[in-house]
Amino acid sequence: MGVSNEKTERCGTICLKYLLFAFNFLFWLAGGAVMAVGIWTVVEKSDYISLLSSSIYAISAYILILAGVIVMVTGVLGCCATFKEQRQILRVYFVLLLCIFLLEILAGVLAYVYYQQLNEELKENLKETMVTKYRQPNEDHVTKAVDKLQQEFKCCGSNSSSDWNASKWIISESKDSRRFVPDSCCKTPVDGCGKRDHPSNIYKVEGGCITKLENFIMDHLKIIGAVGVGIACVQIVGMVFTCCLYRSLKADPY
């Protein structure tokens, strides 16, 4: 009877090992996905980050990158701990899982909080940034971001093309070469095309670029929040498996 119980316990331990190994492999892949989302947000969309006064959007992305790196390292550690059946490594693995869980929940919460305040921030700051920093000394990153924003989203100005009337750059130009809007507002951008302020030449979008940028960032905040919270929920399964295996190994006489 005792031998039968020992065999059953041993079989349970083996099953838990393979379940945890499968989880760690999937977890490692998920870590790569989390890191990729964070890197993509920072690298591909970094121009737009310079148009925001708050750094929460960027911080959320950096947290995902950090969490993704730790997830991939933890996945390898978890596989080693599982097959070596060392409770000490399992304890370290569990603590790392808990830290990643908290990081990803934090990224999700930050994304949600910023989602709520994004509209007000853009209303307060986007126009000011565009008219005071565009084509100004040491503000090349803003100029690049504004040009990319207007061309990519086919818009002109924060709320409308008339916002550019207050631009420091446009006011400082001589009358002969003065543009009404930057050349990036043009439907077919060529040098000097911004001198002709006509709907057939420049983008006249209702709501201006502020609506386009807000929708774009909100979509990405949803992705950041969903990825962070989604992977965190999956980790709960991993922590449960780890606790079960730890208890099983503690009771296992072999």
Side-chain angles (χ1 to χ4, degrees):
M1 189 72 177
V3 174
S4 177
N5 287 337
E6 288 176 2
K7 286 183 177 179
T8 301
E9 289 176 3
R10 188 61 183 170
C11 182
T13 300
I14 292 171
C15 288
L16 281 171
K17 280 174 60 177
Y18 281 102
L19 280 172
L20 192 54
F21 178 79
F23 168 81
N24 276 301
F25 177 71
L26 294 175
F27 191 49
W28 184 83
L29 293 177
V34 168
M35 186 170 62
V37 169
I39 291 174
W40 172 66
T41 301
V42 171
V43 174
E44 292 296 321
K45 310 304 173 185
S46 59
D47 290 334
Y48 297 144
I49 291 174
S50 65
L51 298 177
L52 304 173
S53 60
S54 171
S55 58
I56 296 178
Y57 181 58
I59 289 172
S60 298
Y62 284 121
I63 288 175
L64 281 188
I65 295 173
L66 176 62
V69 170
I70 299 175
V71 163
M72 296 186 78
V73 173
T74 303
V76 175
L77 179 64
C79 290
C80 294
T82 300
F83 278 102
K84 290 187 176 183
E85 299 187 3
Q86 293 185 2
R87 293 198 298 272
Q88 293 87 347
I89 300 180
L90 278 176
R91 281 198 293 266
V92 173
Y93 173 67
F94 180 86
V95 170
L96 285 174
L97 278 182
L98 184 60
C99 290
I100 299 165
F101 175 82
L102 295 175
L103 275 176
E104 288 172 342
I105 288 294
L106 177 61
V109 169
L110 284 175
Y112 176 78
V113 169
Y114 192 53
Y115 183 91
Q116 303 300 312
Q117 68 183 48
L118 178 62
N119 181 268
E120 287 303 315
E121 179 186 324
L122 289 178
K123 283 181 181 178
E124 291 175 6
N125 299 294
L126 184 59
K127 180 180 177 180
E128 183 71 14
T129 298
M130 293 174 79
V131 300
T132 61
K133 295 185 178 181
Y134 185 79
R135 291 288 185 96
Q136 296 303 300
N138 303 317
E139 298 291 355
D140 290 344
H141 60 295
V142 173
T143 301
K144 181 182 175 183
V146 170
D147 286 336
K148 182 178 179 180
L149 173 68
Q150 296 189 141
Q151 275 296 296
E152 189 169 319
F153 293 120
K154 296 178 170 49
C155 58
C156 184
S158 176
N159 299 292
S160 69
S161 59
S162 62
D163 290 342
W164 287 108
N165 294 337
S167 168
K168 284 185 177 180
W169 168 65
I170 287 178
I171 293 172
S172 67
E173 285 195 313
S174 64
K175 288 185 178 181
D176 294 335
S177 61
R178 182 175 295 174
R179 293 167 172 80
F180 289 100
V181 294
D183 295 339
S184 57
C185 281
C186 299
K187 295 178 180 178
T188 304
V190 293
D191 188 40
C193 65
K195 294 178 182 179
R196 182 168 171 262
D197 182 17
H198 191 275
S200 64
N201 182 51
I202 67 171
Y203 294 114
K204 296 278 189 178
V205 180
E206 186 176 349
C209 293
I210 191 170
T211 303
K212 300 280 189 176
L213 183 59
E214 181 183 3
N215 291 338
F216 169 82
I217 294 178
M218 280 187 169
D219 288 343
H220 283 77
L221 286 174
K222 287 177 185 176
I223 294 173
I224 291 174
V227 168
V229 175
I231 299 298
C233 290
V234 171
Q235 285 176 238
I236 295 175
V237 177
M239 287 189 280
V240 171
F241 283 160
T242 304
C243 290
C244 291
L245 180 59
Y246 183 85
R247 290 171 63 87
S248 178
L249 290 176
K250 193 173 183 179
D252 200 328
Y254 296 98

